[in-house]
Structures are given as structure tokens and as C-alpha cells.
Amino acid sequence: MENRTFAFVKTDKKLIKLFFKDITIIKGLGNYVEVHTLNHKRYIYYKSLKELIDNLPDGFMRVHNSYIVNIINIESFEDNQLICGTLKIAVAKSYKECLTTALNTMML
């Protein structure tokens, strides 16, 4: 299952299948996370960002103490702010260099 393209999350007493490509951002809410998808759905479930980042595939990057983004769903990056769909995410100084390096590898 190393090359899996989806995962199940338990939310509202049911398991929901989420494809990694559909996830835009993951927001930390203490011991819970809120997953935002391309189709503007949100799923909240019990897990910390620290636990979650270790289980996500390449392409997901922590950009703030409270946010993980899916690099393929970033629309723009300017002045320490990422735009992912309708969401604006502040990029913390401590994560900016790593993010810039990752984005530079994808430039034409």
C-alpha cells in the first residue's frame, strides 16, 4: 500500500474515502484536524497535525503550525500567503524557505 492514492478518515461516525489529490489544506484544531477538499467539503476528525504529516504522501507540506497544504493544489504564493481555492493561508517564516525550495523545483 506504499503507492496508495487515498485514505479513509472517520468522521460523523462513518468512514469517508478521501483521495489525496482532492485535499487542498489540512487545518489543525488542537487534537483534531479539518480537511478541506477541492469540492469545498470539510471533514473534521480526531488526529493531531504532527501525527498526520508523517502519514501523508510526498506533496503535502507543513507551512504553518496550524496548516498542511497539498502542493499540487496551490494556486499562487505571494508575500508569505498561499492561495488554495478560496482559502488564504499565511506561511510561517520557519517554513517559508522549505516551501520556496519545493516550489522552485516545479518551475518551468
Side-chain angles (χ1 to χ4, degrees):
M1 297 272 311
E2 274 185 37
N3 295 324
R4 64 190 175 132
T5 59
F6 64 90
F8 285 94
V9 296
K10 188 173 186 175
T11 182
D12 295 330
K13 298 181 182 178
K14 60 184 171 185
L15 291 174
I16 305 289
K17 184 179 190 177
L18 286 177
F19 286 92
F20 294 126
K21 65 179 178 55
D22 294 335
I23 297 172
T24 54
I25 68 157
I26 302 169
K27 180 180 181 180
L29 304 169
N31 288 331
Y32 288 83
V33 292
E34 181 178 64
V35 178
H36 293 253
T37 64
L38 288 172
N39 57 3
H40 306 291
K41 290 188 178 181
R42 294 181 358 211
Y43 302 99
I44 297 175
Y45 68 101
Y46 186 78
K47 188 162 279 233
S48 69
L49 279 183
K50 185 173 174 45
E51 288 177 89
L52 187 60
I53 193 70
D54 295 332
N55 296 318
L56 290 169
D58 293 341
F60 284 86
M61 180 172 282
R62 193 143 185 193
V63 295
H64 189 277
N65 283 344
S66 299
Y67 291 101
I68 296 171
V69 297
N70 187 347
I71 291 177
I72 64 169
N73 291 323
I74 293 173
E75 292 179 21
S76 65
F77 175 51
E78 179 183 4
D79 296 334
N80 296 344
Q81 270 201 340
L82 287 173
I83 307 294
C84 294
T86 58
L87 302 168
K88 291 183 181 181
I89 309 297
V91 176
K93 289 179 184 178
S94 57
Y95 295 102
K96 184 177 179 181
E97 185 177 332
C98 188
L99 175 65
T100 304
T101 302
L103 294 177
N104 283 340
T105 64
M106 298 178 195
M107 291 183 64
L108 292 177

